[in-house]
Amino acid sequence: MINNNVIWVNTSSLIFNPLWVDKTINNSWEYSCLMTEVSVYGIQLPIEVSVDNVVINGNKRLKIANDLKMEKVPIILYQDDKLNDLITSSIKPSDLVKILEVFDTKYGLKYSTRYNKKELPKVLISLRVLLIGNNERISQIYQLKEYSKQIRKSYPYETNEIWNQLDNFNMSLFEGVEKMKVLFKRKTTMNFSFDHKMVA
C-alpha cells in the first residue's frame, strides 16, 4: 500500500536502472499479470529511486507505466544510509570479481571512482557498495584479482586452493589477500634471484 513517504512524479522524469536488462519481458506471464494488476488498481508498491531519479527497485513497474501511458507514478527515495546495514558476505568472492569487472568494463567505474566525476549515475556507485560492500572490501577484491593474475602461472594449485577457501567462506578476504601476497613475494624473489644469476 502507498504510504505517507511517497512522492508522485512525472513518469518521464525517471531513468531506468542502467544495470537492468529488458529481456523481452512483454511476453512473460509475470509481466502480463503485473500489467493487468497495475491497469486495474494502479501502482500499489512505489518505485524506489535514487536522488538523481534512477530506479533502484521497480524497473518493470516503470516500463508498465510507460506502456500504459501513465503521466505520474508513486516513488520513494532510497536512502544511502541503508547501505551501511547490508550484509554482502553471502556472495562468493570469485563472483564479486566478476561483478567488479562488469562495473569496470561496461560502465568505466574504476576502483578510484567514488564520486560522480565522470557523469556516471550515482546509483552505480551505490549499487557497487550494495553488491560488494564498503571501500575496504572493494579494495580487497581488487587486490585478490591482481595478485591472482600475477601468481596463477607460477602457483596454479595454491591459487586455486585459496579461491576455493574464499568461495567456501573458510577464509576472510583479508586472509586471502595476505596468502596471495606471500606467493607474489616468493615469485618476485625467485625471479630476481634467477635474473641475478644469469647476469653474473
Side-chain angles (χ1 to χ4, degrees), residues 5 10-11 16 20-21 23 30 34 40 45 67 81 83 92-93 124 133 142 144 151 175 182 190 193 196:
N5 297 322
N10 291 330
T11 307
F16 285 104
W20 182 60
V21 180
K23 297 181 179 175
E30 179 191 357
L34 186 57
V40 174
L45 182 64
D67 290 347
D81 58 6
L83 296 175
K92 293 193 302 187
L124 283 177
Y142 269 104
L144 286 169
I151 66 174
E175 290 169 327
V182 168
M190 284 176 62
S193 175
H196 182 68

Side-chain angles (χ1 to χ4, degrees), residues 6 12 20 37 64-65 69 76 97-98 125 128 143 154 157 173 182 186 188 198:
V6 171
S12 59
W20 182 60
E37 182 183 317
I64 287 171
K69 300 189 177 357
I76 53 175
V97 169
K98 293 172 189 169
I125 298 169
R128 184 173 68 177
Q143 288 179 69
S154 301
Y157 174 80
L173 295 180
V182 168
R186 188 190 304 168
T188 307
M198 290 290 288

